[in-house]
Amino acid sequence: MQSFPISLLNGYRNFMSGRYVDERERYRSLAEEGQKPATLVIACSDSRSAPETIFDAGPGELFVIRNVANMVPPYEPDGHFHATSAALEFAVQSLKVSDIVVMGHGRCGGIRAALDPNAEPLSPGDFIGRWMGLVKPAAEQIQSNDVMTPAERQTALERISIRNSLDNLRSFPDIKSLEEEGKLNLHGAWFDISTGELWVMDAKTRDFIRPEIQE
Ligand SMILES: [Zn+2]
């Protein structure tokens, strides 16, 4: 039998002697009372964009969906297997989160591959090409913009894709009506993995700006 990755066992040992000791009571009460996170974060699977780390969140605080390029598909009740939509439905209908954050990030491999028409597919398998088709129409428009540098095109598409996901969130009837009733707030965010900067989307202009952060 293959041995379990030693780096994970070492990390677990540190967790049990460190963070778990500090948060033991919290884990216990969460186990007894169940989770009640107020926020759903939809983030990329990229190992550098973990929402719990970036938002310094403890157990029970964030409900997280991670997938390639932090995308939300449109509402498609077609009987297929929709992991992202299922988790979304659970967060909204059962947990009744008050806020949903779609968080993209800089240097996203999925977005880079979507922008480069000559690139090898991100992987040769059956799923990722179709998944990245969600952002293809925007990618095709940006590819033809030769005034922008490749890095500018990539950042632009990362942010446009966040706006697309927010639009797709509103194609879910429950989300649309909860938002209209003022019970659910949708947000966009973009994390620059090279500088640690967090940019958030202004709800009116849909531009990404640096938020005021109180010391
Ligand atoms: Zn990514």
Side-chain angles (χ1 to χ4, degrees), residues 17-211:
S17 60
R19 192 160 177 178
Y20 187 76
V21 174
D22 298 337
E23 299 190 304
R24 188 177 318 212
E25 283 314 310
R26 202 159 160 195
Y27 275 105
R28 261 193 210 134
S29 69
L30 282 167
E32 280 168 22
E33 293 160 24
Q35 61 167 337
K36 194 79 190 77
T39 306
L40 161 66
V41 183
I42 299 161
C44 185
S45 298
D46 190 297
S47 58
R48 303 162 295 180
S49 73
E52 295 89 341
T53 307
I54 293 164
F55 296 116
D56 192 26
E61 290 182 10
L62 298 179
F63 191 77
V64 175
I65 299 172
R66 295 181 72 173
N67 61 36
V68 173
N70 48 269
M71 292 194 294
V72 177
Y75 179 71
E76 284 178 334
D78 54 13
H80 294 167
F81 296 111
H82 288 292
T84 293
S85 303
L88 193 53
E89 180 179 280
F90 179 67
V92 171
Q93 294 188 359
S94 292
L95 298 175
K96 298 186 173 18
V97 295
S98 59
D99 293 85
I100 300 179
V101 178
V102 177
M103 184 179 75
H105 69 99
R107 293 169 166 74
C108 182
I111 296 291
R112 188 178 59 237
L115 264 179
D116 185 351
N118 303 314
E120 294 281 312
L122 206 55
S123 71
D126 295 326
F127 301 108
I128 208 161
R130 174 148 168 72
W131 178 248
M132 291 312 297
L134 283 168
V135 79
K136 199 171 172 206
E140 284 173 351
Q141 284 181 307
I142 292 180
Q143 274 160 6
S144 57
N145 185 327
D146 55 9
V147 181
M148 296 162 88
T149 68
E152 285 169 344
R153 282 197 286 270
Q154 167 136 3
T155 302
L157 187 59
E158 284 161 358
R159 293 174 173 189
I160 289 166
S161 173
I162 293 165
R163 289 195 283 265
N164 283 348
S165 286
L166 290 167
D167 292 341
N168 286 343
L169 278 174
R170 295 185 174 104
S171 71
F172 288 72
D174 283 355
I175 293 177
K176 187 173 165 55
S177 55
L178 286 167
E179 188 187 28
E180 284 168 357
E181 291 164 24
K183 293 177 181 162
L184 181 61
N185 304 300
L186 308 188
H187 314 272
W190 180 85
F191 177 69
D192 186 337
I193 56 169
S194 67
T195 63
E197 286 180 1
L198 182 76
W199 294 63
V200 299
M201 198 190 82
D202 182 279
K204 284 207 177 71
T205 65
R206 309 191 99 200
D207 279 320
F208 282 78
I209 53 174
R210 297 293 312 281

